Amino acid sequence: MVELLSYQIFLSIGIIFLQVWYTCLLNLEKITAWWSSRLNNIISISGGGVISVSGGSGSSTHIIEIIIRYLPVWTILSLGIYALSMVLVRVHTMKDCPEAAVELAKEIEMAKESLRRKGLVI
Amino acid sequence: MLYSIILPTYNERDNLPLIAQFIHDTFTAANLSYEIVVVDDSSPDNTLAVAKSLQKLFGEEQFRIVSRPGKLGLGSAYSAGLKASSGQRIILMDADLSHHPRYIPEMIAVMDENPSYGNGTKKRKKPDIVSGTRYRKGGGVSGWDTKRKLTSCGANFLASFLLQTGGASDLTGSFRLYERHAIEQILPQVKCTGYAFQMEILVRAHKAGMIIGEVPIVFVDRIYGESKLGANEIIMYLKGLMNLFFTT
């Protein structure tokens, strides 16, 4: 296994991501066409009763176009949401133990007594 | 097997006798041999005098003192304590009673791979380091408000996201059991200070191929109202994090 430093791992992921995004942007029309034809196939198979949300082949901007054009924004947004939810879950599940403080206070008293008996003078 | 417990102290004259008594109780109950190494950075409240009277009480063999001329930092305190210790396993913990010694036998059991204790390691290999974690099931904190919890979880998440830490859940915790060879190998490499210090130990240990086990602990914060976490601490932490990001 190649031993990479942390920043190198992030750098390589970033470069691969940019490469993929760049390729998608270059072939945007092809992807949009393929996606709308796929949607039309699904609509016709399901009997035509489904309302096309993105406006079908007649609209000017497809949802897939918006997704691809702003892919870095969506990625960063999802990363942020992931981070926030992980932290909030952790904070929520972190157990509060007030009984530990009470127990500690008791043990402190017992320890003080022990030390006094052994002859410790502070 | 002798266990060395290194306690860096600064103004702990009230807590030092108590932690010594707790350690004594825990180890005699578990039938294990121990030694305490107190590293005092010339505490103005005369912790050294308290340490000396404890030394008379517990014996010079079991209670060693390293006195240093001033506040020289946690890393060098650990190094100094390590040099003065003679145990095969080292325990590093806080002397302010936020860490309770009763978790030490559990850590030892995890290190010895006793099957009756559920540990956090994914592979069944013997851990070189057992870390006390506040975040896993069975662990917890006492005396933290939500803001403090948020900073701690946020810092830990950021570090585990950016760095290669091998799945350790509590990177900033300072209650750990080390095999002697593990801490002797890692400690000289550690350069960060503050909260990032504990994190760097785990990251470098993971890089060196060491196995890190975990035991849930309860952290009792008794310093009410005093803010240990200023903006300066946070900046130091982020600096340390960035340093590790680019060098490990």
Side-chain angles (χ1 to χ4, degrees):
Chain A
M1 262 310 284
V2 180
E3 285 214 12
L4 287 172
L5 305 184
S6 300
Y7 81 95
Q8 290 170 341
I9 294 177
F10 276 81
L11 208 61
S12 15
I13 292 176
I15 290 174
I16 294 172
F17 174 83
L18 285 173
Q19 198 68 36
V20 168
W21 186 45
Y22 184 62
T23 323
C24 286
L25 282 176
L26 282 180
N27 302 317
L28 196 53
E29 298 92 35
K30 280 193 220 144
I31 296 174
T32 320
W34 172 81
W35 187 257
S36 55
S37 72
R38 195 162 164 269
L39 267 179
N40 284 338
N41 283 343
I42 296 172
I43 290 169
S44 55
I45 289 169
S46 66
V50 176
I51 301 166
S52 174
V53 176
S54 55
S57 50
S59 91
S60 46
T61 41
H62 250 272
I63 195 139
I64 193 73
E65 219 177 285
I66 299 175
I67 294 176
I68 291 183
R69 258 196 225 279
Y70 299 106
L71 203 56
V73 179
W74 307 132
T75 323
I76 293 178
L77 213 66
S78 358
L79 263 176
I81 293 173
Y82 167 72
L84 201 66
S85 39
M86 286 296 284
V87 172
L88 288 178
V89 163
R90 278 259 192 101
V91 170
H92 186 73
T93 58
M94 198 197 261
K95 198 158 175 274
D96 231 344
C97 304
E99 68 273 5
V102 173
E103 214 184 300
L104 185 64
K106 269 192 244 148
E107 288 179 347
I108 289 175
E109 286 313 310
M110 282 172 37
K112 281 193 184 155
E113 192 49 52
S114 258
L115 289 165
R116 239 174 272 139
R117 267 188 274 118
K118 284 193 206 170
L120 185 73
V121 174
I122 302 176
Chain B
M1 185 171 308
L2 182 65
Y3 291 86
S4 295
I5 302 157
I6 301 178
L7 294 173
T9 58
Y10 191 75
N11 288 345
E12 297 288 0
R13 69 173 301 151
D14 294 325
N15 293 327
L16 192 56
L18 300 170
I19 192 106
Q21 183 63 35
F22 285 167
I23 291 173
H24 182 80
D25 290 338
T26 309
F27 275 81
T28 29
N31 205 14
L32 297 162
S33 51
Y34 74 96
E35 71 171 356
I36 297 178
V37 181
V38 172
V39 184
D40 183 55
D41 286 358
S42 292
S43 301
D45 72 346
N46 217 354
T47 307
L48 191 58
V50 177
K52 289 213 170 102
S53 47
L54 283 168
Q55 192 173 45
K56 281 202 210 78
L57 196 65
F58 288 105
E60 256 185 52
E61 281 305 299
Q62 278 202 310
F63 199 96
R64 297 172 200 262
I65 303 177
V66 177
S67 180
R68 308 202 304 163
K71 235 184 166 195
L72 299 176
L74 197 59
S76 54
Y78 283 156
S79 303
L82 201 56
K83 271 202 213 86
S85 66
S86 44
Q88 290 93 355
R89 288 188 182 165
I90 315 286
I91 294 155
L92 300 180
M93 60 190 289
D94 288 351
D96 60 355
L97 294 176
S98 51
H99 294 147
H100 200 297
R102 71 180 149 94
Y103 294 106
I104 297 180
E106 286 180 49
M107 294 182 176
I108 295 172
V110 167
M111 195 171 257
D112 290 330
E113 280 182 304
N114 187 330
S116 62
Y117 283 91
N119 60 27
T121 51
K122 294 186 196 123
K123 318 182 185 96
R124 297 296 290 188
K125 275 200 227 159
K126 184 171 122 37
D128 301 288
I129 301 174
V130 179
S131 175
T133 169
R134 295 161 287 189
Y135 300 127
R136 286 219 198 265
K137 192 165 180 203
V141 291
S142 158
W144 271 9
D145 58 357
T146 314
K147 190 166 136 200
R148 184 73 182 86
K149 283 189 199 175
L150 265 173
T151 0
S152 189
C153 292
N156 261 287
F157 173 77
L158 194 60
S160 57
F161 181 71
L162 289 177
L163 306 174
Q164 304 171 63
T165 58
S169 67
D170 192 345
L171 294 166
T172 51
S174 46
F175 191 6
R176 298 188 191 138
L177 168 69
Y178 300 85
E179 291 278 6
R180 194 184 189 93
H181 70 85
I183 187 72
E184 279 185 337
Q185 181 182 339
I186 299 296
L187 202 54
Q189 302 174 27
V190 175
K191 304 270 181 305
C192 294
T193 56
Y195 286 103
F197 173 80
Q198 303 292 348
M199 204 166 62
E200 188 171 357
I201 296 181
L202 282 190
V203 171
R204 293 210 185 268
H206 179 246
K207 270 257 141 166
M210 296 182 183
I211 308 294
I212 300 169
E214 290 191 316
V215 159
I217 60 160
V218 174
F219 181 93
V220 181
D221 200 341
R222 299 168 69 223
I223 307 182
Y224 301 119
E226 202 183 295
S227 172
K228 279 200 294 195
L229 204 60
N232 197 32
E233 291 277 341
I234 298 180
I235 292 174
M236 295 279 300
Y237 175 78
L238 290 174
K239 269 205 199 147
L241 192 55
M242 279 299 108
N243 183 23
L244 288 175
F245 185 61
F246 286 107
T247 55
T248 55

